[in-house]
Coordinates of all heavy atoms in Angstrom, one line a residue:
R1 N -10.4 -21.1 -1.8 CA -10.6 -22.5 -2.0 C -11.0 -22.8 -3.5 O -10.8 -23.9 -3.9 CB -11.5 -23.0 -1.0 CG -13.0 -22.7 -1.3 CD -13.9 -23.3 -0.3 NE -15.3 -23.3 -0.8 CZ -16.3 -23.9 0.0 NH1 -16.1 -24.4 1.1 NH2 -17.6 -23.8 -0.6
E2 N -11.7 -21.8 -4.2 CA -12.1 -22.1 -5.5 C -11.1 -21.9 -6.5 O -10.5 -20.8 -6.7 CB -13.3 -21.1 -5.8 CG -14.4 -21.2 -4.8 CD -15.2 -22.6 -4.8 OE1 -15.2 -23.2 -5.9 OE2 -15.6 -23.0 -3.8
A3 N -10.8 -22.9 -7.3 CA -9.7 -22.9 -8.3 C -10.0 -21.9 -9.4 O -9.1 -21.2 -9.9 CB -9.5 -24.3 -8.9
A4 N -11.2 -21.7 -9.8 CA -11.6 -20.7 -10.8 C -11.2 -19.3 -10.4 O -10.7 -18.5 -11.2 CB -13.0 -20.9 -11.2
Y5 N -11.5 -19.0 -9.2 CA -11.2 -17.6 -8.7 C -9.7 -17.4 -8.6 O -9.2 -16.4 -8.9 CB -11.9 -17.4 -7.3 CG -13.4 -17.5 -7.2 CD1 -14.0 -17.7 -6.0 CD2 -14.1 -17.4 -8.4 CE1 -15.4 -17.8 -5.9 CE2 -15.5 -17.4 -8.3 CZ -16.2 -17.6 -7.1 OH -17.5 -17.7 -7.0
R6 N -9.0 -18.4 -8.1 CA -7.5 -18.3 -8.0 C -6.9 -18.1 -9.3 O -6.0 -17.3 -9.5 CB -6.9 -19.6 -7.4 CG -7.4 -19.9 -6.0 CD -6.4 -20.9 -5.3 NE -6.4 -22.2 -6.0 CZ -7.2 -23.2 -5.7 NH1 -8.1 -23.1 -4.7 NH2 -7.1 -24.4 -6.3
K7 N -7.4 -18.8 -10.4 CA -6.9 -18.6 -11.7 C -7.0 -17.1 -12.2 O -6.1 -16.6 -12.8 CB -7.5 -19.5 -12.7 CG -7.0 -19.5 -14.2 CD -7.8 -20.5 -15.0 CE -7.3 -20.4 -16.4 NZ -8.0 -21.3 -17.3
V8 N -8.3 -16.6 -12.0 CA -8.4 -15.2 -12.4 C -7.6 -14.2 -11.6 O -7.0 -13.3 -12.1 CB -10.0 -14.9 -12.2 CG1 -10.2 -13.4 -12.4 CG2 -10.8 -15.7 -13.2
A9 N -7.5 -14.5 -10.3 CA -6.7 -13.6 -9.5 C -5.2 -13.6 -9.8 O -4.6 -12.5 -9.9 CB -6.8 -14.0 -8.0
E10 N -4.7 -14.7 -10.1 CA -3.3 -14.8 -10.5 C -3.0 -14.0 -11.8 O -2.0 -13.2 -11.8 CB -2.9 -16.3 -10.8 CG -2.8 -17.1 -9.6 CD -2.4 -18.5 -9.9 OE1 -2.9 -19.1 -10.9 OE2 -1.5 -19.1 -9.1
A11 N -3.8 -14.1 -12.8 CA -3.6 -13.4 -14.1 C -3.8 -11.9 -13.8 O -3.1 -11.0 -14.3 CB -4.7 -13.9 -15.1
R12 N -4.8 -11.6 -13.0 CA -5.0 -10.1 -12.7 C -3.8 -9.5 -12.0 O -3.5 -8.4 -12.3 CB -6.3 -10.1 -11.8 CG -6.6 -8.7 -11.3 CD -7.8 -8.8 -10.3 NE -8.4 -7.4 -10.0 CZ -9.4 -7.3 -9.1 NH1 -9.9 -8.3 -8.6 NH2 -9.8 -6.1 -8.9
I13 N -3.4 -10.1 -11.0 CA -2.2 -9.6 -10.1 C -1.0 -9.5 -10.9 O -0.2 -8.5 -10.9 CB -2.1 -10.4 -8.9 CG1 -3.3 -10.2 -8.0 CG2 -0.8 -9.9 -8.1 CD1 -3.4 -11.1 -6.8
R14 N -0.8 -10.5 -11.8 CA 0.4 -10.5 -12.7 C 0.5 -9.2 -13.5 O 1.6 -8.8 -13.9 CB 0.4 -11.8 -13.5 CG 1.8 -12.1 -14.1 CD 1.7 -13.4 -14.9 NE 1.3 -14.5 -14.1 CZ 0.2 -15.2 -14.3 NH1 -0.6 -15.0 -15.3 NH2 -0.2 -16.3 -13.5
A15 N -0.6 -8.7 -13.9 CA -0.7 -7.6 -14.8 C -0.5 -6.2 -14.1 O -0.4 -5.2 -14.8 CB -2.0 -7.6 -15.6
V16 N -0.6 -6.2 -12.9 CA -0.6 -5.0 -12.0 C 0.9 -4.4 -12.1 O 1.9 -5.1 -11.9 CB -1.1 -5.2 -10.7 CG1 -0.8 -3.9 -9.8 CG2 -2.5 -5.6 -10.6
I17 N 1.0 -3.1 -12.3 CA 2.3 -2.3 -12.3 C 2.3 -1.6 -11.0 O 1.5 -0.7 -10.8 CB 2.5 -1.5 -13.5 CG1 2.5 -2.3 -14.8 CG2 3.8 -0.7 -13.4 CD1 2.5 -1.5 -16.0
P18 N 3.3 -1.8 -10.1 CA 3.3 -1.0 -8.8 C 3.6 0.5 -9.1 O 4.2 0.8 -10.1 CB 4.5 -1.6 -8.1 CG 4.6 -3.0 -8.7 CD 4.2 -2.8 -10.1
L19 N 3.0 1.3 -8.2 CA 3.3 2.7 -8.3 C 4.7 3.1 -8.0 O 5.3 2.3 -7.1 CB 2.3 3.5 -7.4 CG 0.8 3.5 -7.9 CD1 -0.1 4.1 -6.9 CD2 0.6 4.2 -9.3
D20 N 5.1 4.2 -8.3 CA 6.4 4.8 -7.9 C 6.4 4.9 -6.4 O 5.5 5.6 -5.9 CB 6.7 6.1 -8.6 CG 8.1 6.6 -8.3 OD1 8.7 6.2 -7.3 OD2 8.5 7.6 -8.9
P21 N 7.3 4.3 -5.6 CA 7.3 4.4 -4.2 C 7.4 5.8 -3.7 O 6.8 6.1 -2.6 CB 8.6 3.6 -3.8 CG 8.9 2.7 -4.9 CD 8.4 3.4 -6.1
A22 N 7.9 6.7 -4.5 CA 8.0 8.1 -4.0 C 6.5 8.7 -3.9 O 6.3 9.7 -3.1 CB 8.8 9.0 -5.0
L23 N 5.6 8.2 -4.7 CA 4.2 8.6 -4.6 C 3.5 8.2 -3.3 O 2.4 8.7 -3.0 CB 3.4 8.2 -5.8 CG 3.9 8.7 -7.2 CD1 3.1 8.1 -8.2 CD2 3.8 10.2 -7.2
L24 N 4.1 7.2 -2.6 CA 3.3 6.6 -1.5 C 4.0 6.9 -0.1 O 3.5 6.5 0.9 CB 3.4 5.0 -1.7 CG 2.7 4.6 -3.0 CD1 2.9 3.1 -3.2 CD2 1.2 4.8 -3.0
N25 N 5.1 7.6 -0.1 CA 5.7 8.0 1.2 C 4.8 8.9 1.9 O 4.2 9.9 1.4 CB 7.0 8.7 0.9 CG 8.1 7.8 0.3 OD1 8.0 6.5 0.5 ND2 9.0 8.4 -0.4
Q26 N 4.6 8.5 3.2 CA 3.6 9.3 4.1 C 4.5 10.3 4.9 O 5.5 9.9 5.5 CB 2.8 8.4 5.0 CG 1.8 7.5 4.2 CD 0.6 8.4 3.8 OE1 0.5 9.5 4.2 NE2 -0.3 7.7 3.1
P27 N 4.1 11.6 5.0 CA 4.8 12.5 5.9 C 4.6 12.0 7.4 O 3.5 11.4 7.6 CB 4.1 13.8 5.5 CG 2.9 13.5 5.0 CD 3.0 12.2 4.2
V28 N 5.5 12.4 8.2 CA 5.3 12.0 9.6 C 4.1 12.8 10.1 O 4.0 14.1 9.9 CB 6.6 12.4 10.4 CG1 6.4 12.1 11.8 CG2 7.8 11.7 9.8
A29 N 3.2 12.2 10.8 CA 2.1 12.8 11.4 C 2.5 13.8 12.4 O 3.5 13.5 13.1 CB 1.2 11.8 12.0
K30 N 1.8 14.9 12.5 CA 2.2 15.9 13.5 C 2.3 15.5 14.9 O 3.3 15.9 15.6 CB 1.2 17.1 13.4 CG 1.3 17.9 12.1 CD 0.4 19.1 12.2 CE 0.5 19.9 10.8 NZ -0.4 21.1 10.8
R31 N 1.4 14.6 15.3 CA 1.5 14.1 16.7 C 2.7 13.2 16.9 O 3.0 12.8 18.1 CB 0.2 13.4 17.0 CG -0.1 12.0 16.3 CD -1.4 11.5 16.6 NE -2.5 12.3 16.3 CZ -3.8 12.1 16.5 NH1 -4.1 11.0 17.2 NH2 -4.7 12.9 16.1
E32 N 3.3 12.7 15.8 CA 4.4 11.7 15.9 C 5.7 12.4 15.8 O 6.8 11.9 15.9 CB 4.3 10.6 14.9 CG 3.1 9.8 15.1 CD 3.0 8.7 14.0 OE1 3.8 8.7 13.2 OE2 2.0 7.9 14.1
E33 N 5.7 13.7 15.5 CA 6.9 14.5 15.3 C 7.6 14.7 16.6 O 6.9 14.8 17.7 CB 6.7 15.9 14.6 CG 6.2 15.7 13.2 CD 5.9 17.1 12.5 OE1 5.4 18.0 13.2 OE2 6.3 17.3 11.3
P34 N 8.9 14.9 16.7 CA 9.6 15.1 17.9 C 9.2 16.4 18.6 O 9.0 17.4 18.0 CB 11.1 15.1 17.6 CG 11.1 15.4 16.1 CD 9.9 14.8 15.5
R35 N 9.1 16.4 19.9 CA 8.7 17.5 20.6 C 9.8 18.5 20.7 O 11.0 18.2 20.8 CB 8.3 17.2 22.1 CG 7.0 16.3 22.2 CD 6.7 16.0 23.6 NE 6.3 17.3 24.4 CZ 5.1 17.8 24.4 NH1 4.1 17.2 23.7 NH2 4.9 18.9 25.1
V36 N 9.4 19.8 20.5 CA 10.4 20.9 20.6 C 9.9 22.0 21.5 O 8.8 22.5 21.5 CB 10.6 21.5 19.2 CG1 11.5 22.7 19.2 CG2 11.1 20.5 18.2
A37 N 10.8 22.3 22.5 CA 10.4 23.3 23.5 C 10.7 24.7 22.9 O 11.5 24.9 22.1 CB 11.2 23.1 24.7
F38 N 9.8 25.7 23.3 CA 10.0 27.0 22.8 C 11.4 27.5 23.1 O 12.0 28.3 22.4 CB 8.9 27.9 23.3 CG 9.0 29.4 22.9 CD1 8.9 29.7 21.5 CD2 9.4 30.4 23.8 CE1 8.9 31.0 21.1 CE2 9.5 31.7 23.3 CZ 9.3 32.0 22.0

């Protein structure tokens, strides 16, 4: 609701450079991997 905070936030976010998506890929959790019978 505060205009002064919004102004700062806009400028701050505008300057952010996203990370390479390859650095953020999460491996499948072991408990979520497909079951394999022996």
